[in-house]
Amino acid sequence: MTPSAIELTATPDDRRIARYAAAAIALTVAEAAIPSPLPGVKPGLANIVVLVVLVRHGWSDAAWVSLLRVLAGSLLVGQFLAPGFFLGLTGALASLAVLAASSRLPKRFFGPVSHSVLAAFAHIGGQLALARLWLVPHDGVFYLVPIFAATALGFGIVNGLIAARLLEEEK
Amino acid sequence: MKPWLPLLRLGDWLVAGAGLVAVAASFPLLWRGGAAERAVVRLDGRIVAEVPLTAARRIDVAGPLGTTVVEVAPGRARVASDPGPRQYCVKQGWLTRPNAVAICAPNHVSLALTGRQPGYDSLSY
């Protein structure tokens, strides 16, 4: 029997992404302990990490951190491949798509708060679209839009401010 | 403790403001489905009157037993009087929800409120 030697070398990039993802995952797990009045209404604290990574290292790093967070976070919380996992994944993909566009906005005028609010709206948009198509095939889900939109705006601003503050501190 | 406000740039204010407008707009837009808009009066399943629930008015419908009186007021409607023996449709009182129905079966008359979406495919005596 010949010993198989598959060697995976971790580049500094990998380590950096893993560190950020670990922080985001920790926030996801912590957040899962917070009771929520309505399924889907969550502060989305892990997005603070994604926002910081977006500004520091660009969109592709942010995408890695966000998707690793969804994957590993769901495994830890016990939601992997459950409906909540697919809702979270759809939301993350939608907000990454919006972040790809919003990160091209002029930095002088649009800071982390803009990215955060836009991504939060994209997040609920993606989730509601999936919920309407798959989980609740009825227009009744859209009655919840005002509640989701209001929380997205509120937490979007707060998370954006925290990310902006963290980025400010390092200067 | 550094102040938070300087962290907001001009575009951030714009985005947050636009978000606030979108949130505010979503409330009436999406919860209007809960309001009744029109009253539909039928005799033998045929529509004899369809009026918006905006102004007060009275509709007299001549059925086989006599005259059923439907009263419409802003946002609501009721069967005010009916010649039927048991008066179920009159006792229902004011109808305010969309898709609410009062059926005066003996006199072949029905009153239904409609919202933006019909709750039933059809209703007839």
Side-chain angles (χ1 to χ4, degrees):
Chain A
M1 202 172 109
T2 50
S4 67
I6 298 173
E7 199 145 324
L8 295 172
T9 43
T11 63
D13 286 358
D14 296 338
R15 290 179 204 283
R16 187 181 67 229
I17 288 170
R19 264 202 304 277
Y20 282 123
I25 292 160
L27 285 172
T28 302
V29 173
E31 193 174 83
I34 303 172
S36 158
L38 196 74
V41 174
K42 276 198 270 178
L45 297 174
N47 298 317
I48 297 167
V49 179
V50 177
L51 289 167
V52 168
V53 174
L54 180 75
V55 172
R56 280 190 194 159
H57 306 291
W59 183 82
S60 66
D61 277 28
W64 269 111
V65 170
S66 171
L67 295 175
L68 281 171
R69 195 275 301 176
V70 171
L71 185 71
S74 73
L75 282 170
L76 286 170
V77 178
Q79 282 276 317
F80 183 56
L81 295 187
F85 166 76
F86 290 104
L87 287 173
L89 182 62
T90 313
L93 289 171
S95 45
L96 283 172
V98 165
L99 284 177
S102 81
S103 59
R104 285 187 170 74
L105 289 168
K107 298 227 179 334
R108 216 159 79 77
F109 298 114
F110 297 93
V113 174
S114 296
H115 302 317
S116 180
V117 169
L118 293 171
F121 276 120
H123 204 278
I124 56 154
Q127 287 194 326
L128 276 168
L130 182 71
R132 172 64 183 82
L133 290 172
W134 177 42
L135 295 172
V136 190
H138 184 265
D139 283 337
V141 280
F142 293 125
Y143 289 131
L144 295 173
V145 164
I147 298 167
F148 287 145
T151 44
L153 180 65
F155 287 127
I157 291 173
V158 169
N159 291 348
L161 281 173
I162 295 172
R165 183 64 171 269
L166 288 171
L167 290 161
E168 194 84 351
E169 305 261 304
E170 72 181 6
K171 278 180 190 166
Chain B
M1 182 80 184
K2 276 194 285 180
W4 291 88
L5 277 185
L7 297 172
L8 285 166
R9 296 166 212 180
L10 181 64
D12 295 341
W13 285 107
L14 288 176
V15 170
L20 195 64
V21 170
V23 169
S26 73
F27 274 87
L29 205 75
L30 288 142
W31 279 344
R32 223 171 55 116
E37 286 175 353
R38 302 175 77 76
V40 181
V41 181
R42 288 187 173 86
L43 175 64
D44 281 320
R46 282 180 298 106
I47 294 176
V48 292
E50 184 171 358
V51 296
L53 296 178
T54 47
R57 60 180 290 175
R58 224 178 91 117
I59 301 162
D60 294 350
V61 189
L65 296 185
T67 305
T68 297
V69 178
V70 172
E71 195 181 348
V72 175
R76 57 187 191 163
R78 68 168 175 173
V79 178
S81 74
D82 178 68
R86 283 170 295 274
Q87 300 284 306
Y88 290 138
C89 57
V90 178
K91 287 175 184 167
Q92 269 182 269
W94 289 103
L95 307 182
T96 55
R97 307 284 307 160
N99 305 318
V101 181
I103 299 173
C104 302
N107 206 26
H108 300 203
V109 174
S110 74
L111 162 68
L113 300 192
T114 58
R116 278 201 300 175
Q117 278 156 10
Y120 314 106
D121 289 339
S122 71
L123 260 179
S124 62
Y125 174 74

